[in-house]
Amino acid sequence: MKTTLHLLYGGKSAEHKVSLQTALAVTKALNKDKFNVFPLFITEEGQWVRGKQLTGEVESVAQLQLTDKGTSIAPLALTEVNEQTDDKPVIFPLLHGPNGEDGTVQGMLELLNLPYVGNGVLASSAGMDKVIMKQLFAQAGLPQVGYVHFLRSEWEKNDELAYKKVEEELGYPVFVKPANLGSSVGINKAKNREELASAFKEAFDFDRKIIVEQGLENAREIEIGVLGNDEPQCSVLGEIVPKKEFYDYKAKYEDGNTAMIIPAEVDEQTYESVKEMAIKAFKAIDASGLVRADFFLTRDGELYINEVNTMPGFTPYSMFPLLWQHTGVAYPELIERLVQLAKDRHDEKQ
Ligand code: ATP
Ligand code: MG
Ligand code: MG
Ligand code: MG
């Protein structure tokens, strides 16, 4: 029997465009003998549109076009979808960032009692908030760089105090990030007070809460894919080599000149440590389905966890699918595994 798969993409998020690219790639890769695919587009304003077809170029976000205007639906009309078919449809939220990767959509799908790919409510929201995530990682004993965090209201009341705290507790350089985002949107490196002030301002444009982290100089960036529910498995390691100061939005999606090295060249002990830490991180946020865990490896061999992404970049050229391809799980099979994991988790709850 064919599985009905609804691809939820776009989204009211600064990572909207990235999601379009992913949805096209997944549509193209799906085996039409096994899946009936329905695209569900969420506009940048948050309106839900049931479209007929997705077309465009997967390679470049800039070239993407949405050809089909589709029909507007209320999000809760997804339950109608449910009645159209005997087999329970599976929802694949190909959404990154707030309003998609953060547990909000997942909560709605729980209420509708529909199986969906990827992380549940708790893991999604804990993984989206870099401060909460770091607190859970600390509890699990995972090594991390020093950090402080601020609310916009605190900063507005006394910005000098905030900057002093950063300088006293961390020192330069630091990375300033919106607490709830991804794709490096709103992230800046600051090497002095002036840069710090402008980095705060930009990060607060995206979130009411920001995190400021001790900046590592010259560290290698190592990533790993984790796949599964109660017994997660790890992929081989990948390394990102940004040709710029850091792996920013442009380097990720526009310039295309960041090198990805898979498998990453690390010694056996480092590989084992990364795997062990990635599983700990997965469990620390109670993840299911998938995560991509990102690490820093300093030149003296120290390993720090940076973050996990509960819905990592998912085009065939993205790190997570490439890691699994090198581990022996090709892109179409990866999608099928994720759909199966979604069904398993759903069945277990019934
Ligand atoms: P994504 O979800 O797309 O992986 P993100 O928006 O969650 O990205 P981070 O992964 O936290 O952002 O940071 C983006 C990039 O900034 C990192 O890949 C790295 O290049 C650089 N970076 C972030 N934090 C630090 C740090 N503490 N020290 C050195 N470099 C950092
Ligand atoms: Mg992230
Ligand atoms: Mg992300
Ligand atoms: Mg990252």
Side-chain angles (χ1 to χ4, degrees), residues 17-85:
K17 280 189 176 163
V18 181
S19 169
L20 304 191
Q21 201 181 20
T22 311
L24 273 169
V26 171
T27 309
K28 287 187 182 170
L30 278 167
N31 184 338
K32 305 295 179 301
D33 295 331
K34 292 187 184 163
F35 295 99
N36 286 317
V37 185
F38 297 100
L40 271 169
F41 174 52
I42 305 174
T43 68
E44 279 179 284
E45 291 73 43
Q47 190 187 23
W48 287 49
V49 178
R50 190 177 284 160
K52 295 181 197 92
Q53 226 192 344
L54 265 174
T55 57
E57 290 302 317
V58 182
E59 285 76 10
S60 157
V61 175
Q63 285 169 24
L64 266 179
Q65 287 202 350
L66 281 168
T67 52
D68 181 19
K69 293 248 183 321
T71 338
S72 281
I73 59 161
L76 293 179
L78 269 174
T79 41
E80 291 164 24
V81 164
N82 192 356
E83 287 155 15
Q84 284 171 5
T85 157

Side-chain angles (χ1 to χ4, degrees), residues 130 181-182 307 309:
K130 289 185 189 294
L181 245 174
E307 62 158 350
N309 285 283

Side-chain angles (χ1 to χ4, degrees), residues 35 65 146 199 211 214 250 268 288 326:
F35 295 99
Q65 287 202 350
I211 184 164
Q214 176 206 345
K250 274 206 162 110
E268 196 58 36
S288 52
H326 280 78

Side-chain angles (χ1 to χ4, degrees), residues 14 18 32 37 70 99 167 201 213 218 250 277 314 338:
V18 181
K32 305 295 179 301
V37 185
N99 300 310
E167 286 162 354
K201 194 170 174 302
E213 296 174 10
N218 264 319
K250 274 206 162 110
M277 285 166 68
F314 203 81
L338 286 168

